[in-house]
């Protein structure tokens, strides 16, 4: 992808295989909601012309304790949806199903990672079970002094109690801030301080690929740093999962089981204003610390409910089992393991561990044992499955599958075709869903019974979404000319802000193109009107479908005493899609003297980044250099580094603004490691 001056982008990808929805898809899922492209276009038009009418009809499918007075109030950049309405998302996930007589139906299926004697631990929760557990834990939170509006930090593995904890927060009106269990102690500190959170819920450990991740140790490290900086943390609630040895701080630490033991299983849902905060979720930006994305109650609830229903075609009472393989620590898990799926009354499956434990066929074993019908995963995982070999899915009966989905990054057509053939048996539609932490739910996506799919394209905007490709001046681009992806109208699940940083909120999303939400992605539309995402246009890299700011990784590198300056760029990576390349200049006393020392220092720096941020941020390649290529004004020329890192260097690139040409020569010669 090359970007020209006005923000128009040249695209190189060409793909013309088209897959029409299979004739029997509708029948296979117990009736498709949207059955033709015409029907899609008609409804889409209606939803754009009369968003208030469209969304009111949908919102009425859910329970509200007080009805809204106005569907939308829009003062760019601030949206208010279902103004004056009161509801509770936990009620709509659980109580609503019980009240309509479905309390005994399966709500949540959980499978643990370990396979003692070849058998996994499976726990099933009906809506009644979930209600009991959620109410008990909600009362525990109240006993710990948590009240409406307090921010509760959750740092757990993929155990059912994670879902229970988030629903308990929602039930009493506390705001959850979930931190992915793969992040480090430092990441916990940053987020707890930013949110001024007083309560942390964690586990002793979490199972991952047969090992135990020391979650409580990480929380302890974070607590030490928090205490040093004067942060007043009230309590740490610890769920026993792995029985690994942990340290204990009397007065601060409490066992989940002991607290829950005496708790009542009766707890009313707090009526929440539609615009009350539901959760905070931190995500990376191009500069500074991660930003706390604010999501509120009513709009998010209605939007995740409808996208789940239409995009995955969820139908109650049809033996569907929905499985999203994401971790709840990411927005995908928030929206499509919990909040969008439960109100649709289709059981949601949650798996604790790695896809290759105890062997590379674990996912397919799960699909066949639980008769999964809709399966939602990431392109990075699909590329790993391809590499592991088709024999793994081939060993299992995957005939229960009716629909496949992807999310997180562009999927390469080769992986799409493999997914369709090897997992979907050429019968399942694939929904390639483009969205973001900030959008709360799917934004551009096929509808499985209606949209012909083309490998690599996320196709068309969802109802109510007015997406466009524009240049820097906000002018819509013609077909096949790349530009910036924007959303021109508010949608119910849109972020309501960056926690505590109004200016950054406006700067990041509403300043680059006047009057529109700017997503940060480059994209084009083809002659069909289909969208093709071309990647980020800021200093954000998408590693394995998750965003990292290059600045964050650079800050982590220079916080090591050996590194004076660092520049981090993305590079093509076979499995992850994008890998991380780091160029570092070293402090003279730390310059290694032998190949051995070079290798050792690279390992030390990788581990250091892992400690500062988490394993996901470890550079794939580190190069030491005497100097970084800079403009005369001192700006690092990342585009040159990107070319070097990807090995696709174009010697005709404009280097006229480069201060010292020899720097580039040296970098080209420097050996990769
Ligand atoms: C960024 C958002 C949404 C949950 C997972 C990631 C990229 C996401 C797709 C897709 C191409 C995609 C974009 C986006 N992205 N889905 N289907 N095709 N790119 O959430 O960490 O907020 O990242 O992921 O670049 O901006 P996130």
């Amino acid at each position: 992808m090359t970007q020209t001056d006005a923000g128009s982008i040249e695209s190189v990808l060409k793909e013309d295989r088209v897959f029409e929805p299979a004739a029997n898809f509708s029948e296979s899922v117990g009736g498709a909601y949207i059955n033709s492209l015409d029907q899609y276009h008609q409804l889409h038009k209606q939803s754009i012309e009369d968003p208030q009418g469209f969304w009111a009809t949908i919102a009425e499918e859910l329970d509200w304790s007080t009805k809204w007075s106005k569907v939308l109030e829009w003062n760019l950049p601030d949206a208010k949806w279902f103004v004056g309405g009161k509801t509770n998302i936990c009620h709509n996930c659980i109580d609503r199903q019980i009240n309509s007589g479905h309390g005994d139906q399966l709500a949540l299926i959980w499978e643990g990672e370990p396979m003692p004697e070849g058998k996994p631990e499976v726990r099933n929760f009906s809506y009644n079970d979930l209600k009991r557990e959620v109410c008990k834990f909600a009362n525990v939170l109240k006993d710990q002094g948590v009240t409406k509006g307090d921010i509760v930090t959750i740092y757990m593995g993929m155990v059912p109690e994670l879902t229970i904890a988030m629903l308990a927060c929602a039930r009493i009106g506390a705001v959850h801030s979930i931190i992915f269990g793969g992040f480090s102690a430092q990441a916990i500190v940053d987020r707890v301080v930013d949110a001024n959170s007083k309560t942390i819920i964690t586990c002793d450990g979490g199972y991952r690929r047969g090992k135990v991740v020391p979650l409580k140790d990480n929380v302890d490290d974070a607590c030490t740093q928090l205490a040093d900086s004067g942060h007043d943390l009230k309590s740490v609630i610890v769920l026993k999962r792995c029985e690994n040895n942990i340290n204990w701080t009397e007065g601060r630490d409490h066992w989940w089981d002991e607290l829950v033991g005496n708790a009542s299983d009766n707890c009313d849902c707090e009526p929440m204003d539609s615009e009350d905060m539901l959760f905070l979720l931190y995500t990376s930006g191009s500069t500074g610390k991660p930003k706390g994305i604010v999501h509120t109650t009513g709009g998010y609830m209605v939007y995740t409910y409808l996208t789940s229903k239409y995009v995955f075609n969820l139908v109650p009472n049809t033996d569907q089992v929905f499985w999203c393989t994401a971790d709840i620590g990411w927005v995908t898990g928030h929206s499509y393991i919990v909040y969008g799926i439960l109100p649709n009354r289709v059981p949601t499956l949650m798996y604790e561990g790695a896809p290759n434990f105890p062997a590379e066929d674990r996912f397919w074993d799960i699909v066949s044992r639980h008769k999964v019908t809709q399966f939602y995963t990431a392109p990075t995982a699909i590329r790993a499955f391809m590499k592991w070999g088709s024999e793994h899915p081939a060993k299992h009966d995957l005939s229960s599958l009716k629909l496949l989905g992807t999310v997180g990054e562009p999927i390469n057509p080769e992986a799409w075709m493999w997914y369709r053939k090897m997992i979907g048996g050429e019968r399942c539609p694939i929904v390639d869903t483009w969205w973001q932490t900030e959008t709360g739910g799917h934004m551009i996506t096929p509808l499985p019974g209606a949209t012909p799919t083309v490998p690599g394209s996320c196709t068309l905007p969802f109802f109510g979404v007015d997406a466009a490709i524009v240049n820097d001046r906000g002018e819509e681009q013609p077909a096949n000319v790349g530009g910036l992806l924007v959303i021109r109208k508010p949608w119910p699940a849109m972020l309501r802000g960056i926690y505590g940083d109004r200016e950054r909120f406006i700067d990041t999303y509403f300043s680059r193109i006047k009057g529109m939400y700017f997503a940060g992605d480059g994209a084009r539309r083809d002659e069909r009107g289909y969208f093709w995402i071309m990647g980020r246009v800021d200093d954000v890299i998408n590693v394995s479908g998750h965003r990292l700011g290059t600045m964050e990784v650079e800050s982590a590198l220079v916080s090591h005493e050996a590194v004076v300056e660092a520049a981090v760029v993305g590079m093509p990576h076979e499995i992850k899609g994008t890998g991380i390349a780091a160029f570092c200049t070293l402090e003279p006393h730390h310059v290694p003297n032998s190949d051995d020392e070079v290798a050792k220092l690279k390992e030390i720096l990788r581990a250091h980044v892992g400690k500062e941020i988490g394993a996901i941020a470890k550079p794939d390649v580190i190069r030491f250099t005497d100097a970084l290529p800079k403009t005369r004004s001192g700006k690092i020329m990342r585009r040159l580094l990107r070319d070097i890192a990807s090995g696709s260097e174009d010697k005709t690139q404009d280097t006229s603004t480069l201060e010292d040409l020899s720097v580039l020569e040296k970098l080209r010669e420097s050996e990769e490691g």
Side-chain angles (χ1 to χ4, degrees):
M1 170 175 81
T2 50
Q3 191 168 359
T4 60
D5 287 343
S8 63
I9 298 168
E10 281 166 44
S11 148
V12 285
L13 205 69
K14 192 100 197 107
E15 170 69 58
D16 35 34
R17 284 170 287 202
V18 181
F19 296 88
E20 298 290 336
N24 62 352
F25 171 72
S26 179
E27 190 192 329
S28 79
V29 288
Y33 291 106
I34 312 293
N35 278 291
S36 72
L37 205 51
D38 280 350
Q39 193 189 353
Y40 158 79
H41 280 303
Q42 196 192 327
L43 254 179
H44 186 260
K45 185 160 175 275
Q46 202 181 314
S47 72
I48 297 294
E49 285 171 358
D50 176 22
Q52 308 216 23
F54 179 86
W55 288 111
T57 309
I58 305 303
E60 274 156 15
E61 293 180 24
L62 298 169
D63 287 349
W64 297 75
S65 51
T66 306
K67 202 178 163 169
W68 56 89
S69 54
K70 204 171 165 201
V71 176
L72 170 65
E73 232 175 72
W74 175 229
N75 293 305
L76 188 117
D78 300 304
K80 286 187 181 160
W81 284 89
F82 309 107
V83 184
K86 289 200 191 300
T87 184
N88 186 295
I89 196 168
C90 178
H91 167 93
N92 278 289
C93 285
I94 300 174
D95 305 56
R96 180 171 155 264
Q97 320 295 14
I98 296 171
N99 296 347
S100 66
H102 303 99
D104 289 334
Q105 284 189 8
L106 195 52
L108 173 70
I109 304 165
W110 174 83
E111 175 160 326
E113 186 189 80
M115 284 273 222
E117 283 144 40
K119 275 223 168 109
E121 183 189 353
V122 172
R123 292 168 68 190
N124 288 325
F125 296 81
S126 66
Y127 295 97
N128 286 330
D129 296 335
L130 256 192
K131 181 172 177 188
R132 190 181 59 243
E133 299 307 320
V134 167
C135 285
K136 282 186 180 176
F137 195 66
N139 283 321
V140 164
L141 288 174
K142 284 183 173 174
D143 288 346
Q144 295 296 311
V146 175
T147 57
K148 182 173 175 176
D150 288 352
I151 299 176
V152 173
T153 299
I154 304 182
Y155 178 75
M156 300 173 88
M158 281 286 282
V159 287
E161 288 80 1
L162 167 54
T163 302
I164 289 163
M166 55 196 292
L167 288 165
C169 287
R171 195 167 185 92
I172 64 170
V175 174
H176 54 71
S177 165
I178 304 183
I179 303 175
F180 170 55
F183 281 139
S184 64
Q186 185 59 52
I188 303 173
V189 172
D190 295 343
R191 288 157 177 77
V192 166
V193 168
D194 187 80
N196 193 22
S197 173
K198 309 287 189 193
T199 310
I200 302 181
I201 308 169
T202 190
C203 301
D204 52 356
Y207 286 113
R208 184 77 197 176
R209 206 161 290 131
K211 297 205 180 87
V212 173
V213 182
L215 296 168
K216 173 65 162 62
D217 286 356
N218 293 344
V219 169
D220 287 344
D221 282 357
C223 287
T224 307
Q225 291 186 54
L226 286 167
D228 290 349
S229 66
H231 183 91
D232 159 42
L233 194 74
K234 282 196 200 129
S235 61
V236 176
I237 302 174
V238 187
L239 178 86
K240 190 176 279 179
R241 169 61 187 144
C242 300
E243 316 218 356
N244 48 318
N245 285 326
I246 57 169
N247 292 316
W248 199 256
T249 302
E250 263 333 308
R252 184 197 72 192
D253 295 350
H254 311 272
W255 283 113
W256 171 295
D257 275 351
E258 286 177 14
L259 297 178
V260 162
N262 334 318
S264 144
D265 58 6
N266 216 321
C267 175
D268 287 344
C269 286
E270 184 74 28
M272 301 298 286
D273 188 276
S274 180
E275 284 301 332
D276 276 340
M277 204 176 357
L278 173 64
F279 67 84
L280 263 184
L281 184 56
Y282 284 83
T283 188
S284 297
S286 52
T287 52
K289 294 246 144 116
K291 37 192 188 191
I293 302 300
V294 174
H295 280 289
T296 58
T297 304
Y300 175 84
M301 173 179 85
V302 171
Y303 196 79
T304 52
Y305 161 73
L306 190 73
T307 48
S308 301
K309 178 171 171 174
Y310 282 179
V311 175
F312 302 128
N313 214 94
L314 301 180
V315 183
N317 304 325
T318 55
D319 294 326
Q320 291 184 352
V321 174
F322 177 82
W323 183 20
C324 164
T325 70
D327 192 290
I328 287 181
W330 308 107
V331 73
T332 308
H334 282 61
S335 298
Y336 300 114
I337 293 178
V338 183
Y339 289 127
I341 309 302
L342 289 171
N344 276 290
R345 203 166 27 94
V346 162
T348 183
L349 190 148
M350 190 177 165
Y351 167 57
E352 177 177 40
N356 54 352
F357 186 86
E360 284 77 5
D361 67 339
R362 181 63 185 269
F363 274 15
W364 320 123
D365 181 34
I366 293 174
V367 166
S368 66
R369 274 188 289 104
H370 296 282
K371 302 211 172 10
V372 172
T373 44
Q374 287 99 331
F375 177 76
Y376 191 37
T377 197
T380 185
I382 299 169
R383 288 189 292 267
F385 302 146
M386 285 173 77
K387 194 173 163 203
W388 294 338
S390 307
E391 65 271 24
H392 299 293
K395 270 191 281 202
H396 298 273
D397 176 7
L398 306 182
S399 63
S400 58
L401 289 170
K402 311 205 182 304
L403 176 144
L404 305 175
T406 72
V407 57
E409 54 182 314
I411 181 166
N412 45 311
E414 191 196 354
W416 197 100
M417 293 302 291
W418 184 91
Y419 195 33
R420 179 179 151 82
K421 187 162 176 213
M422 299 304 170
I423 309 304
E426 293 182 328
R427 88 191 159 265
C428 302
I430 297 178
V431 291
D432 173 351
T433 59
W434 177 87
W435 59 296
Q436 308 179 290
T437 305
E438 292 87 341
T439 71
H442 303 144
M443 297 294 280
I444 308 183
T445 172
L447 296 179
T451 318
T453 49
V454 182
S457 170
C458 52
T459 75
L460 297 166
F462 190 73
F463 301 126
V465 175
D466 182 20
I469 309 294
V470 300
N471 64 15
D472 268 342
R473 292 183 293 277
E475 299 156 349
E476 197 158 358
Q477 300 290 83
N480 289 317
V481 178
L484 308 172
L485 176 56
V486 294
I487 315 293
R488 296 181 292 201
K489 285 198 166 74
W491 65 99
M494 75 187 287
L495 79 164
R496 300 301 197 265
I498 294 175
Y499 191 67
D501 203 340
R502 176 81 182 165
E503 205 174 301
R504 194 173 176 197
F505 170 57
I506 295 170
D507 266 14
T508 312
Y509 306 109
F510 296 95
S511 296
R512 182 138 177 196
I513 316 289
K514 207 169 165 289
M516 303 175 195
Y517 170 84
F518 169 53
D521 283 331
R524 72 177 163 95
R525 292 185 90 155
D526 64 17
E527 45 290 308
R528 269 191 197 86
Y530 280 20
F531 283 80
W532 297 78
I533 309 298
M534 291 149 70
R536 301 290 304 186
V537 297
D538 51 11
D539 289 327
V540 165
I541 40 186
N542 187 326
V543 181
S544 302
H546 298 297
R547 263 190 287 170
L548 284 171
T550 52
M551 259 266 300
E552 275 176 89
V553 185
E554 286 162 7
S555 312
L557 283 165
V558 296
S559 73
H560 190 276
E561 53 178 5
V563 180
V564 173
E565 197 173 32
V568 164
V569 294
M571 56 171 230
H573 187 282
E574 195 194 345
I575 305 286
K576 300 187 202 173
T578 304
I580 301 174
F583 296 84
C584 302
T585 59
L586 297 176
E587 203 280 325
H589 295 101
H590 288 87
V591 173
N593 292 314
S594 65
D595 288 354
D596 249 20
E597 280 183 36
V598 167
K600 223 183 255 165
L601 183 57
K602 287 180 178 174
E603 245 346 282
I604 290 171
L605 292 177
R606 280 170 47 79
H608 181 71
V609 174
K611 190 162 166 282
E612 289 293 305
I613 308 176
I616 188 174
K618 286 183 183 173
D620 297 283
V621 170
I622 296 180
R623 292 199 206 182
F624 299 137
T625 170
D626 294 339
L628 293 166
K630 287 185 185 170
T631 62
R632 280 179 202 96
S633 61
K635 215 170 156 276
I636 295 172
M637 297 184 74
R638 288 164 194 288
R639 117 184 107 82
L640 300 178
L641 293 176
R642 267 195 288 268
D643 290 349
I644 293 172
S646 68
S648 69
E649 204 184 343
D650 171 7
K651 298 257 161 77
T652 63
Q653 273 234 38
D654 181 14
T655 51
S656 55
T657 53
L658 189 65
E659 188 198 44
D660 179 2
L661 263 174
S662 68
V663 167
L664 209 63
E665 282 308 320
K666 282 197 196 138
L667 271 175
R668 286 190 189 116
E669 286 157 16
S670 80
E671 179 211 346
E672 179 173 318

